[in-house]
Amino acid sequence: MNIVAIVSSKGGVGKTTVTQCLAVEALRQGIAAAIIDADPQKSAADWGEQRAAAELDAPTVIALGSKSLVSVVADLRKRGAGMIFIDTPPHSAPAINAALDVSTGSIMVTRPNPMDLRALEATWSIVSRMKKPSAAVFTQTPPGNRARALGLAQGRLEELAMPFCPTPISYTLSFPYAQAEALSVQEREPTGKARAEIAEIWGWLKRNHIF
């Protein structure tokens, strides 16, 4: 069973969105997917409740609360989960470490701007010590002439010898619209650009043995 920690030392980078999209993509691949929401904000858990209320096919979503990750992972394993994504809180090295301890791999989430990249370096210092498959995924990437920011950010990660997925997730209003409807972006717009990006990211992560 693959257990993937979705991590970032900074909030607002799109960590929960990446978690939701990959969990839904796993379902589309025929994998019994689950999300453990370790973030006290419980955004993923709220999303899961909204989907359940709407009777949407959904990954199992469990709010960690005061439970231990080890016990929740063991319970999901007994229930037949084939892939677990752990949505971790920002600004919490202990929570990130706990998720990395039980994971088989990790995904670091960042936007391509200097402030987020500095936070990503702190995340990488934690992740790299675990010696498990890991890679960064860029989110909220600006379009058009401002896309140069992505190239500069990718160059910085190359300097750090930090693996990263070459396909970014572009900024689009499709994401907040999907959230408002308790959907993932690939469900709301199955032929859209964001859907294609998520599929490419999934394929890259799989080919590079992150999961």
Side-chain angles (χ1 to χ4, degrees):
M1 179 175 68
N2 288 299
I3 304 170
V4 185
I6 312 295
V7 299
S8 173
S9 296
K10 188 176 182 302
V13 297
K15 185 166 44 58
T16 298
T17 298
V18 170
T19 302
Q20 293 164 341
C21 289
L22 291 178
V24 170
E25 195 65 25
L27 289 178
R28 291 186 164 210
Q29 300 293 326
I31 301 169
I35 295 172
I36 299 175
D37 189 350
D39 192 331
Q41 291 186 14
K42 300 194 298 182
S43 298
D46 290 345
W47 175 81
E49 290 175 2
Q50 292 168 18
R51 288 178 69 91
E55 299 183 346
L56 294 170
D57 182 28
T60 300
V61 185
I62 297 178
L64 182 62
S66 60
K67 299 183 287 292
S68 75
L69 270 174
V70 172
S71 65
V72 175
V73 167
D75 179 60
L76 288 170
R77 190 189 301 271
K78 290 178 182 176
R79 292 162 60 179
M83 178 171 273
I84 298 173
F85 297 93
I86 305 174
D87 186 13
T88 61
H91 315 301
S92 178
I96 292 173
N97 275 311
L100 292 171
D101 280 341
V102 302
S103 71
T104 56
S106 65
I107 297 169
M108 300 167 286
V109 182
T110 186
R111 294 173 296 192
N113 64 56
M115 186 179 297
D116 286 9
L117 291 176
R118 285 193 291 272
L120 180 64
E121 292 184 33
T123 305
W124 177 233
S125 70
I126 299 171
V127 169
S128 59
R129 290 196 297 267
M130 304 301 289
K131 306 296 183 184
K132 295 181 180 180
S134 61
V137 170
F138 287 100
T139 61
Q140 302 177 38
T141 303
N145 294 332
R146 292 180 293 164
R148 181 170 179 269
L150 176 63
L152 293 173
Q154 290 174 332
R156 177 56 182 155
L157 267 55
E158 289 174 348
E159 291 173 2
L160 296 169
M162 187 188 307
F164 63 89
C165 177
T167 300
I169 297 176
S170 303
Y171 175 77
T172 170
L173 289 174
S174 300
F175 286 98
Y177 290 156
Q179 289 285 342
E181 298 168 9
L183 299 172
S184 69
V185 71
Q186 63 263 51
E187 292 172 308
R188 189 177 190 275
E189 298 182 9
T191 61
K193 179 181 179 181
R195 165 70 184 99
E197 290 174 347
I198 296 299
E200 289 176 12
I201 290 167
W202 173 275
W204 187 91
L205 293 169
K206 191 170 179 61
R207 290 192 301 275
N208 286 273
H209 309 292
I210 308 302
F211 50 70

